[in-house]
Amino acid sequence: MQALPPGGAMVAVEATEDEVAPLLSDQVSIAAVNGPSSVVVSGDEVAVLEVAARFEAEGRRTSRLAVSHAFHSPLMSSMLDDFRAAVAGLEFGEPTIPVVSNLTGALAAAGELCSAEYWVRHVRETVRFADGVRALAGAGVGTFLELGPDGVLSALVRESAPDVAEVVPALRKDRGEELALATGLARLHVTGVGVDWRAFFTGTGARQVELPTYAFQRQRYWPATTAAPGDVRAAGLASAEHPLLGAAVSLADSDGVVFSGRLSAGSHPWLADHVVMGRVLVPGTAFVELAIRAGDEVGCDRVEELTLAAPLVLPEQGAVQIQVFVGEPDDSGHRSVKIFSRPDDSDEQPWVQHATGVLAAADELPGFGFDAAVWPPVGAEPVELDGFYENRAESGFEYGPVFQGLRAAWRHGDAVFAEVALPEEVEPGGFGVHPALLDAVLHAAVCAGGDEGAENGVLPFSWEGVSLFASGATMVRARLSYGGREAINIAVSDAAGAPVASVDGLLVRPVAAEQFGDGQMVGRDSLFRVEWAPVAEGTDAGPSVVAVVGPDGGLSGGLRDAGISVVGCADLAALAVAEAPVPDVVLVEVEVERPGDGVVDSAHATVAQTLGLVQRWLEGERFAGSRLVVVTRGAVGDLAVASVWGLVRSAQSEHPGRITLLDLGDGAVSGAVLSRALAQPEPELMVGDEEVLVPRLTRMPVPELRAASWEPRGTVLITGGTGGLGAVVARHLVAERGVRDLLL
């Protein structure tokens, strides 16, 4: 080989074999056919460069190979006889596995590789690599492993057999050998090729481990326990020692105190039983309880007044932060108290004030004037409570078991006497009076008369003169009567007649759903829709260089108009082997396949095409630092394009930041708009009316529910109609719905 004459050259040319053949001579021949449009010409340097120049003039790519001689060319002729003589002395053996010949591009026949003449021809004639790849793919081979110093042949395999499942290079020039080989074996393994991992890891001490399970959302549906107050001393705070509050801190520049806490249906599940007009509402008695606890901290044992300014609605998911602010005492010793809240998931939203009042230190205990030892009171008439809470639910007060504490009621003159108890599973510990217990006492106001709105539904509005005498009650007896200004006077005792609490006056107000606003209903976080919102105007600069792969649909011209350099490539394989670095942004427009069999086949074909594109992008190490922009047109109304979006979204979730979806609609898009879209760090983008749009979740208004009317005509079929429940349903349909023809 060293005796060959100098002066030869080899050049890779972007051209087909048929295009090159007319330019050949006795000085130039085709050394290799590597792909459908990739050949190598070899021979005399001057003649070879003339052939390459012809194609360069047409805008074709050429690349001179760094080789010592012009292999597979007429310049090899002088060494063929010596080579034949050297090879003839070798002993050949027939291969034990099928071999595709690079000389013929087909499966070698038995004994074909065992002659010296075959190897002489191999030195001189064309290497038909592309034909060999197509022969393997036609024989059902779906995985190719390249044994060589880099992945050049892997890219060529993709050109000749684009539908193969996997092409894996064993080594890469820009990566350590051990890492490259291990990565290649792993890719073969996940493709389904059997790998002897035990032999691979021999001597390393490696062992099998359990993989993590599926990444579930892990939303719990088990009943949540009430969160116990934690140790907050490390944050410079004191424990509030109350179920509704977590911490307390004295203000440094005054004699005031601030309490803080966090409320949710998860940490305080009993609150979820207080549903008013479709909302989980923190009861007014909870605000009274907070005020009483705040008063205890500063030596005030009486809530002089407490006015509720706004309802506190708990979100369906998440929590709210609360603060109770106690001011410094005035000249009379009274202190102001204010109660605030804001959503727990945002520190930027303002605090909402829910209640304001005055705390005072009582000089003496107020008179009780209620003897609960005689029970029920002499002369009191019992009040029928059957269906009481069902009727309340029809009025919008859907109390759960914790708040259904009214056990019995009696009326005597203008007073109502009530017996109220907490469910056995509810612990009153930590509360002065459990809010659910005191709230159930107020339910008896419906029986007291005096306020016409009481029967339709009222809520506490203003409390006056609230005193607590004892804590920890689970069952109480109460007297409610109307005094001046339509205020309700309340006295509460335990079963032995000992005072528990008293309220000098409670004003109530009718309640309507409109008072809570549309956004605070139970289920407000259940209905969302996607809205495409314009991107805010900014100075975001688009990329300076963009690669456009495959047919560009006019994208290249628009990008150049916007001052962006464009690198064009036929496919990702060509981009992977290009000498220049891969640009930060690579655009590929998805061409919708339109086979003759209809929409379903179109969607299948287009998704399969996109799947191959995404797989090649994610497996290419040269693309790891770049972002693929999958460009579509008509994602809103085209089923095939919508399917592509669904596929790519799955890939985005597994490889965040690697892929962007961009839909350009049906019209032309200017280069400036396209540049602005490429500058956005968003996974999904859409262009419409020369605006760049991004998807955002917005709440849907809950539609007004209307009673459904059912007037069946014909026969009504009831499956299981001969059983007990079926008979009940059948009887209901006949009696209530007027059905006359039943089939059981």
Side-chain angles (χ1 to χ4, degrees):
M1 191 73 72
Q2 285 74 17
L4 290 173
M10 300 182 74
V11 177
V13 179
E14 183 184 11
T16 66
E17 185 177 5
D18 292 340
E19 289 174 326
V20 174
L23 305 179
L24 302 179
S25 65
D26 57 358
Q27 294 181 306
V28 181
S29 63
I30 296 178
V33 180
N34 290 327
S37 59
S38 178
V39 300
V40 177
V41 293
S42 180
D44 178 76
E45 181 176 9
V46 175
V48 168
L49 294 181
E50 287 179 355
V51 173
R54 291 279 298 272
F55 290 100
E56 289 177 356
E58 298 177 6
R60 307 288 188 90
R61 291 177 297 172
T62 65
S63 177
R64 183 166 179 170
L65 306 185
V67 293
S68 59
H69 297 87
F71 302 108
H72 305 285
S73 77
L75 299 184
M76 293 285 103
S77 300
S78 61
M79 56 83 67
L80 294 181
D81 291 339
D82 292 340
F83 181 74
R84 181 182 290 105
V87 173
L90 300 177
E91 182 178 348
F92 296 96
E94 292 188 7
T96 58
I97 61 173
V99 176
V100 171
S101 168
N102 266 342
L103 189 61
T104 64
L107 192 66
E112 183 179 354
L113 308 182
C114 298
S115 68
E117 192 61 32
Y118 174 85
W119 296 105
V120 171
R121 292 177 58 198
H122 210 300
V123 171
R124 170 64 183 83
E125 296 182 20
T126 302
V127 175
R128 310 205 64 83
F129 179 78
D131 292 338
V133 170
R134 284 191 288 268
L136 288 169
V141 174
T143 303
F144 288 76
L145 174 64
E146 177 181 355
L147 301 179
D150 199 13
V152 176
L153 294 181
S154 296
L156 297 176
V157 169
R158 286 289 187 193
E159 291 184 7
S160 298
D163 296 329
V164 298
E166 195 72 42
V167 183
V168 180
L171 297 176
R172 302 304 295 262
K173 65 181 181 181
D174 55 353
R175 187 186 302 179
E177 291 184 358
E178 291 185 5
L179 176 61
L181 182 60
T183 301
L185 288 174
R187 288 177 57 186
L188 291 173
H189 175 72
V190 299
T191 305
V193 176
V195 176
D196 187 354
W197 291 111
R198 188 178 300 277
F200 178 81
F201 287 111
T202 298
T204 65
R207 60 183 178 83
Q208 288 186 336
V209 297
E210 294 292 332
L211 287 177
T213 57
Y214 183 80
F216 293 101
Q217 283 185 309
R218 303 195 181 281
Q219 182 175 356
R220 294 175 58 86
Y221 293 93
W222 293 104
T225 57
T226 302
D231 185 359
V232 294
R233 288 174 296 178
L237 307 173
S239 173
E241 299 181 352
H242 191 275
L244 299 180
L245 297 169
V249 59
S250 299
L251 301 181
D253 61 347
S254 70
D255 192 19
V257 180
V258 174
F259 298 84
S260 63
R262 181 178 179 273
L263 303 180
S264 72
S267 60
H268 302 81
W270 54 272
L271 286 173
D273 279 359
H274 193 261
V275 178
V276 178
M277 303 300 171
R279 290 87 169 168
V280 176
L281 194 68
V282 175
T285 51
F287 292 111
V288 173
E289 176 67 19
L290 291 172
I292 290 174
R293 173 64 189 91
D296 286 342
E297 186 73 14
V298 294
C300 295
D301 51 7
R302 179 178 172 86
V303 179
E304 198 68 34
E305 61 181 67
L306 186 69
T307 301
L308 307 185
L312 174 51
V313 179
L314 287 186
E316 188 176 0
Q317 301 289 335
V320 294
Q321 302 171 12
I322 60 170
Q323 277 191 6
V324 181
F325 176 83
V326 180
E328 57 186 346
D330 59 17
D331 294 338
S332 62
H334 292 182
R335 293 173 180 260
S336 64
V337 60
K338 300 176 183 178
I339 302 175
F340 303 86
S341 82
R342 71 176 178 185
D344 186 48
D345 57 0
S346 176
D347 292 337
E348 298 178 357
Q349 295 195 32
W351 290 92
V352 175
Q353 182 172 289
H354 295 282
T356 60
V358 176
L359 304 177
D363 295 330
E364 58 182 19
L365 292 178
F368 196 63
F370 169 43
D371 183 7
V374 180
W375 195 258
V378 178
E381 296 290 334
V383 176
E384 179 59 52
L385 294 180
D386 288 345
F388 176 82
Y389 284 107
E390 289 79 359
N391 294 333
R392 292 292 84 206
E394 293 179 2
S395 298
F397 291 76
E398 302 173 66
Y399 296 128
V402 176
F403 283 83
Q404 293 182 8
L406 184 59
R407 299 290 184 260
W410 296 265
R411 185 180 289 110
H412 187 274
D414 61 354
V416 170
F417 297 86
E419 187 172 282
V420 176
L422 286 173
E424 292 182 359
E425 64 271 16
V426 177
E427 292 291 335
F431 291 100
V433 177
H434 196 291
L437 186 69
L438 185 55
D439 189 82
V441 168
L442 304 185
H443 300 172
V446 175
C447 310
D451 191 323
E452 296 180 358
E455 295 186 6
N456 297 323
V458 293
L459 288 177
F461 168 66
S462 178
W463 304 76
E464 295 180 359
V466 181
S467 299
L468 178 67
F469 305 104
S471 60
T474 59
M475 193 278 287
V476 296
R477 297 169 178 177
R479 184 195 66 190
L480 299 88
S481 61
Y482 277 91
R485 301 184 301 111
E486 294 297 321
I488 305 175
N489 177 273
I490 304 172
V492 183
S493 71
D494 61 18
V500 172
S502 68
V503 180
D504 292 347
L506 169 62
L507 295 177
V508 295
R509 291 289 184 267
V511 61
E514 293 77 13
Q515 294 177 241
F516 302 101
D518 293 337
Q520 302 184 64
M521 291 187 65
V522 173
R524 66 188 293 265
D525 291 331
S526 298
L527 287 176
F528 290 84
R529 63 185 172 195
V530 176
E531 290 188 356
W532 289 88
V535 173
E537 293 289 342
T539 58
D540 297 331
S544 59
V545 181
V546 171
V548 177
V549 175
D552 65 8
L555 298 178
S556 297
L559 291 171
R560 290 191 180 98
D561 291 342
I564 298 176
S565 299
V566 178
V567 176
C569 293
D571 50 33
L572 288 180
L575 181 62
V577 298
E579 295 182 0
V582 178
D584 291 340
V585 177
V586 177
L587 265 66
V588 178
E589 182 167 355
V590 174
E591 294 184 290
V592 178
E593 301 287 340
R594 301 293 186 190
D597 295 335
V599 175
V600 174
D601 288 334
S602 173
H604 287 173
T606 306
V607 168
Q609 167 197 340
T610 307
L611 176 61
L613 168 70
V614 172
Q615 288 175 332
R616 290 191 290 274
W617 174 260
L618 295 175
E619 74 186 11
E621 293 299 326
R622 288 203 68 194
F623 306 142
S626 303
R627 176 167 58 106
L628 176 67
V629 179
V630 178
V631 179
T632 62
R633 297 181 186 270
V636 175
D638 192 303
L639 180 61
V641 177
S643 301
V644 167
W645 274 55
L647 169 71
V648 175
R649 281 169 176 155
S650 297
Q652 288 175 329
S653 66
E654 297 177 6
H655 303 273
R658 295 291 311 279
I659 308 174
T660 294
L661 282 164
L662 172 60
D663 190 82
L664 301 181
D666 299 324
V669 178
S670 68
V673 173
L674 187 56
S675 172
R676 188 157 172 254
L678 297 180
Q680 306 305 317
E682 297 278 347
E684 297 178 18
L685 297 160
M686 187 176 291
V687 174
D689 296 329
E690 287 296 293
E691 282 190 313
V692 180
L693 309 175
V694 291
R696 293 292 183 261
L697 279 181
T698 60
R699 286 189 178 91
M700 282 189 66
V702 180
E704 181 181 354
L705 299 179
R706 298 180 179 178
S709 60
W710 185 45
E711 298 179 359
R713 296 180 176 85
T715 302
V716 176
L717 171 65
I718 303 178
T719 58
T722 57
L725 183 59
V728 174
V729 173
R731 190 176 300 109
H732 171 78
L733 292 176
V734 173
E736 302 295 334
R737 297 296 181 180
V739 174
R740 291 296 176 263
D741 193 358
L742 290 171
L743 178 59
L744 306 180

